[in-house]
Amino acid sequence: MNINFNGYDENSVTMLADTTLKEGEQNVLVTVGDNGTATVAKATKPFLGVCTCVRDGYATVQTRGYCKVKTSAKLSLGSVSLVASSDGKVAENSAGKMYFVLDSTDNESGILL
């Protein structure tokens, strides 16, 4: 039996996109920059969510719910402390924010934001 968590408790916010986000980009880890703008998350830092779309200077950022993220390595399942990695992926790190990892492979994981 196949299961799918897409759409579970999904919430998004619209923010001004700073210059680190490019038009048409999606699935980028972001955090809050100057004056509440969305900016690409820096390595070893916690992230706010995943930018699902950049258009006309605005970024749609998913801040809750299930999403697939690229990972630097296979993540542990369950409650895990995660940060952005230097290559823009997600990595485990005790300095991160706690997320719940539902599934994981060597290069992609499904997490609850």
Side-chain angles (χ1 to χ4, degrees):
M1 177 173 121
N2 290 330
I3 58 173
N4 187 323
F5 300 107
N6 289 339
Y8 170 77
D9 200 25
E10 247 180 52
N11 285 308
S12 295
V13 296
T14 301
M15 304 171 73
L16 286 173
D18 79 356
T19 57
T20 63
L21 291 167
K22 306 300 179 217
E23 189 83 14
E25 270 191 320
Q26 55 186 357
N27 298 327
V28 177
L29 299 176
V30 296
T31 192
V32 179
D34 292 336
N35 297 317
T37 59
T39 186
V40 173
K42 295 186 182 348
T44 71
K45 301 294 182 189
F47 51 94
L48 169 67
V50 178
C51 179
T52 57
C53 179
V54 178
R55 187 173 57 201
D56 297 330
Y58 292 93
T60 303
V61 180
Q62 182 181 346
T63 58
R64 288 191 48 147
Y66 178 81
C67 68
K68 287 283 195 178
V69 292
K70 299 293 182 194
T71 58
S72 299
K74 188 172 183 171
L75 302 178
S76 301
L77 298 180
S79 189
V80 181
S81 183
L82 302 175
V83 297
S85 63
S86 60
D87 56 3
K89 297 177 181 177
V90 172
E92 290 187 41
N93 185 308
S94 61
K97 183 177 168 185
M98 296 302 285
Y99 295 95
F100 202 86
V101 179
L102 294 175
D103 56 82
S104 188
T105 66
D106 288 341
N107 57 9
E108 185 176 64
S109 293
I111 66 172
L112 292 179
L113 294 171

